[in-house]
Amino acid sequence: IVVDGKGTATGNFQLNITAPVPKIFFVKNPGGNDTNPGTQAAPWLTLAKAFAAAVAGDIVYFVPSTYASPGVAPTNSGTSVNPINFLADTTCAYSAGVVGGCTPGPVTVTSSATTHTVSFSSRSYHRFENFTVQAPTTSATSAIYVSGGGNHVIRNNTITGSSTNAKRGIYVLGSSVNNLVTQNNITLTGSTSNRGIYLTSGTNNTFSYNTVT
């Protein structure tokens, strides 16, 4: 490159731009600790920690086990280019090297709250995939609740509930937009007022290939 007296540069040059590498975290119960950095060697322990700590572009893998939810909701939003990814690693495809090992099986989220088991409220751009989620026993609550914000992908989850109180599998409130709810299997028993998928208005929400029994 040659720069003349006027500050004009001529010649050939190369600009290298490296795309950011997503941060990958792991959650394991038992065997983790929420004071850990979330690596394979030192995973987190709880669903609540993962939902509080993850930021745009992060990928969080949950090792097969059971995780109690006190009614979690993500603290942060992702972006259209870098969503926040909560993924149940049921086959141990990504968690095989986690401390103490990984045995393939379901990643089950149980409800220990009187509110929704998992909420995506006033936040945007999340993926929540491959989990088994238990609906709460409290009436008019949901296993997965989406309200405000939008652009979430709720995919390939198994949702169960058997209390006598009316409950909802996946509830998308009208103020949330551009969500994709697909390939989920929902089985709710115990009440004739159950709602497998419950939508109240909304814009550009897509529901496809879900099974409700």
Side-chain angles (χ1 to χ4, degrees), residues 27-30 45-47 62-69 105-111 131-132 134:
V27 186
K28 184 177 183 181
N29 175 40
L45 176 65
T46 66
L47 192 78
F62 288 78
V63 176
S65 186
T66 299
Y67 299 84
S69 170
V107 176
T108 302
V109 180
T110 61
S111 174
F131 291 85
T132 297
Q134 179 190 88

Side-chain angles (χ1 to χ4, degrees), residues 7-83:
T8 302
T10 60
N12 298 319
F13 66 95
Q14 179 176 322
L15 177 63
N16 294 318
I17 300 176
T18 302
V21 177
K23 292 183 179 179
I24 299 176
F25 299 96
F26 297 86
V27 186
K28 184 177 183 181
N29 175 40
N33 191 307
D34 284 345
T35 62
N36 286 342
T39 62
Q40 283 194 332
W44 293 329
L45 176 65
T46 66
L47 192 78
K49 171 65 177 182
F51 271 59
V55 298
D58 286 353
I59 300 172
V60 184
Y61 290 113
F62 288 78
V63 176
S65 186
T66 299
Y67 299 84
S69 170
V72 296
T75 299
N76 302 299
S77 290
T79 68
S80 59
V81 177
N82 293 299

Side-chain angles (χ1 to χ4, degrees), residues 86-127:
F86 299 112
L87 307 176
D89 189 12
T90 58
T91 64
C92 297
Y94 302 95
S95 304
V98 76
V99 63
C102 179
T103 301
V107 176
T108 302
V109 180
T110 61
S111 174
S112 59
T114 57
T115 185
H116 312 291
T117 307
V118 177
S119 297
F120 296 93
S121 300
S122 302
R123 300 291 184 269
S124 300
Y125 294 104
H126 296 88
R127 290 171 60 206

Side-chain angles (χ1 to χ4, degrees), residues 112-157:
S112 59
T114 57
T115 185
H116 312 291
T117 307
V118 177
S119 297
F120 296 93
S121 300
S122 302
R123 300 291 184 269
S124 300
Y125 294 104
H126 296 88
R127 290 171 60 206
F128 186 80
E129 301 185 9
N130 304 326
F131 291 85
T132 297
V133 185
Q134 179 190 88
T137 57
T138 305
S139 183
T141 55
S142 312
I144 299 175
Y145 176 73
V146 182
S147 172
N151 296 285
H152 306 293
V153 177
I154 311 297
R155 188 197 313 269
N156 199 40
N157 299 288

